[in-house]
């Protein structure tokens, strides 16, 4: 089945220790998104790639970076995680901007 | 910025009852999407709506794109325990940053067997 895959599902990192989360898709969608979701809140968009074009949301901290080496993969790098970065990180894809988005299962990040 | 008002915030119902939740906005949306999220999982797309007035069903779920383009509702008929979760409405408005899907705050559904 075509899908969005996130690895790992659970990640524990230490305060200030860089961490990378990964996402892959078999949908061949043009757009890939990274969202942050905190408990009992809606997902919050961090950034997205349309093909190789990167767009950062205005309020996304500089601590968060992303890479998309090819159509299928996208990575979220958190350079120096703080306690406030503990959250569920969701990857999503869509054919284009005005189409429905399909989410992966998420990576739960814990910062100790 | 554009916002979606989703109600109710939470619902406690008996198994077998019908459920209705809705989202409204002060501005026009050109897409309405309904998602369900289980604890510890990503949101799963239930229904996507693209045309004003569109009424779409997916099993026991029915959703409509309001004729004014400013609202949408989701109905669940004959609820079962596995309907438990958080339901989010989401949409693409006009004039927002590209790719930015606006989310409602969610409706938490609890079903008593």
């Amino acid at each position: 089945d075509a899908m969005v895959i996130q690895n790992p599902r659970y990640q524990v990192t230490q305060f200030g220790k860089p961490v990378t989360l990964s996402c892959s898709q078999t949908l061949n969608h043009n757009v890939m998104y990274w969202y942050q979701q905190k408990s009992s809140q809606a997902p919050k968009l961090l950034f997205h790639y349309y093909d190789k074009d990167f767009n950062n949301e205005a309020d996304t901290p500089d601590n968060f970076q992303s890479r998309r080496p090819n159509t299928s993969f996208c990575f979220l790098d958190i350079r120096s995680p703080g306690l406030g970065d503990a959250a569920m990180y969701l990857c999503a894809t869509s054919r284009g901007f005005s189409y429905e988005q399909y989410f992966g299962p998420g990576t739960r990040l814990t910062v100790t | 910025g554009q916002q979606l008002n989703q109600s109710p915030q939470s619902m406690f119902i008996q198994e077998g009852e019908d459920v209705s939740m809705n989202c409204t906005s002060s501005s026009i949306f050109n897409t309405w999407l309904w998602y369900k999220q289980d604890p510890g999982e990503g949101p799963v797309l239930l229904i996507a709506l693209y045309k004003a007035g569109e009424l779409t069903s997916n099993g026991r779920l029915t959703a409509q794109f309001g004729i004014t383009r400013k609202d949408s509702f989701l109905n669940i008929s004959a609820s079962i325990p596995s309907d438990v979760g958080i339901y989010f409405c989401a949409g693409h408005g006009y004039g927002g940053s590209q790719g930015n899907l606006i989310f409602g705050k969610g409706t938490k559904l609890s079903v008593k067997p």
Side-chain angles (χ1 to χ4, degrees), chain A residues 9-10 33 35 37 40-43 45 48 55 57 88 90 97-106 108, chain B residues 30-31 33 35 37 39-45 48 50 86 88 92 97-101 103-106:
Chain A
R9 293 294 314 276
Y10 301 92
Y33 309 82
Y35 287 86
Q37 186 178 30
S40 303
Q41 295 182 19
L45 183 65
H48 69 262
N55 185 72
E57 290 301 300
M88 173 75 93
L90 296 164
F97 286 135
S98 296
Y99 294 91
E100 62 269 22
Q101 294 183 17
Y102 294 90
F103 285 83
R108 168 73 63 188
Chain B
N30 60 20
T31 311
L33 307 172
Y35 290 91
Q37 187 171 25
E41 299 292 331
V44 173
L45 181 66
Y50 290 100
I86 300 179
F88 288 101
H92 292 105
S97 65
Q98 284 187 320
N100 199 349
L101 194 58
F103 280 86
K105 292 186 188 297

Side-chain angles (χ1 to χ4, degrees), chain A residues 65-86:
Chain A
Q65 306 282 320
S66 185
R67 296 170 283 134
R68 188 179 185 186
N70 54 53
T71 301
S72 301
F73 285 87
C74 197
F75 300 97
L76 169 63
D77 300 309
I78 308 177
R79 289 190 297 190
S80 183
L83 297 178
D85 295 328

